[in-house]
Amino acid sequence: MIIALILSGGTGTRLGSDIPKQYIEAGGRPVITYSIEQLYRHSGIEAIQIVADPAWQGKISNWLTAYGFSGKFKGFSRPGGNRQLSILHGLEDIREYAKESDYVFIHDAARPLLTKKQITDCIESVVGHDGVLPVLPKDTVYLSTDGKKITELLNRSEIYAGQAPELFRLGSYYEANCRLLPEQIWQINGSTEPAILAGQDVVMIPGDEGNFKITTKEDLERFQKIVDAEVHSA
């Protein structure tokens, strides 16, 4: 079984809105519902767990019902003090109904342009591995130890940017996160880091440039334009 863990506990303060970015309407519906729809409709995803603040759980439940996406929904998990602790809370709840050999598909609610192909690529590529990480190549990058002067030119052919979604074997990934408690987990910036620190086999696959995360007002406007264009071309 593959369980989607949707991270929707962020506050989105950089957007300058009182409403967290994943709940703002775009194209007449909340941003979070776009990725939920893709996961709900994909035959490879059998269950959905959502990390969300209790204040929003009722509204999310209503949206799931209103848009017909409640069939695979298993429950809510509480947000943690940082992104990785939110993931850990989700893993703990998922383990109540899933097997250690099952997989967890981690995705951000603020990445609404998740595609069926990206989901399929992750699922097909994880076979024989502990996890899958979509990556994007980077332009020329530099190392600076003081933030003022360039210290070293890095080889861009060896540098990649990790991207959500990510897919991991549930049992071993949960254990990798538990090993970071209580302090080290606060220093984790990316979902794949615990797996790498635990020496797990994580394969890279091509990411999707279009699957950007809504972080700023400009990102939201960009997504709105994409949605509007799709509506007008329909």
Side-chain angles (χ1 to χ4, degrees):
M1 179 164 68
I2 299 177
I3 305 98
L5 178 60
I6 300 177
L7 304 178
S8 189
T11 58
T13 54
R14 277 185 285 179
L15 202 64
S17 171
D18 293 334
I19 301 175
K21 56 199 173 187
Q22 62 272 27
Y23 306 130
I24 293 174
E25 282 200 3
R29 51 190 276 201
V31 167
I32 186 176
T33 63
Y34 288 90
S35 56
I36 289 177
E37 178 177 10
Q38 289 292 340
L39 293 164
Y40 174 79
R41 297 191 184 286
H42 198 288
S43 60
I45 302 296
E46 298 175 62
I48 296 174
Q49 185 82 22
I50 301 176
V51 176
D53 189 278
W56 286 93
Q57 291 178 8
K59 291 186 177 182
I60 295 172
S61 293
N62 291 338
W63 294 331
L64 290 174
T65 301
Y67 293 106
F69 304 150
S70 59
K72 295 181 180 181
F73 178 64
K74 288 292 187 179
F76 290 106
S77 299
R78 71 189 190 280
N82 68 356
R83 186 175 186 275
Q84 202 60 35
L85 283 166
S86 290
I87 290 174
L88 180 57
H89 291 170
L91 297 176
E92 291 169 344
D93 292 334
I94 288 171
R95 291 177 75 245
E96 293 294 321
Y97 57 82
K99 299 182 294 185
E100 300 293 279
S101 58
D102 288 336
Y103 289 87
V104 59
F105 182 100
I106 301 173
H107 190 61
D108 298 306
R111 288 184 186 269
L113 293 174
L114 177 66
T115 65
K116 179 180 179 180
K117 181 181 186 302
Q118 185 89 82
I119 300 171
T120 300
D121 288 348
C122 286
I123 293 174
E124 292 181 347
S125 299
V126 80
V127 178
H129 303 280
D130 296 315
V132 171
L133 170 67
V135 299
L136 298 172
K138 297 294 289 182
D139 294 329
T140 303
V141 289
Y142 302 89
L143 175 67
S144 174
T145 56
D146 61 5
K148 297 178 180 179
K149 296 181 179 180
I150 294 174
T151 305
E152 183 180 350
L153 173 62
L154 303 178
N155 186 349
R156 72 176 187 177
S157 67
E158 300 175 349
I159 304 295
Y160 297 89
Q163 186 187 36
E166 294 143 296
L167 182 62
F168 304 100
R169 193 183 305 274
L170 177 60
S172 57
Y173 185 63
Y174 173 73
E175 292 175 1
N177 279 270
C178 288
R179 292 193 191 105
L180 303 178
L181 294 172
E183 298 297 334
Q184 194 175 358
I185 198 166
W186 289 91
Q187 309 305 318
I188 298 299
N189 295 309
S191 308
T192 300
E193 290 182 32
I196 298 301
L197 290 171
Q200 294 180 12
D201 172 23
V202 179
V203 64
M204 297 192 307
I205 63 172
D208 179 0
E209 290 278 6
N211 186 24
F212 63 90
K213 186 175 182 179
I214 297 176
T215 303
T216 65
K217 182 179 179 180
E218 289 72 24
D219 294 330
L220 181 61
E221 292 173 350
R222 177 185 174 191
F223 176 61
Q224 183 69 67
K225 289 179 181 178
I226 292 172
V227 173
D228 289 344
E230 291 178 349
V231 171
H232 292 149
S233 64

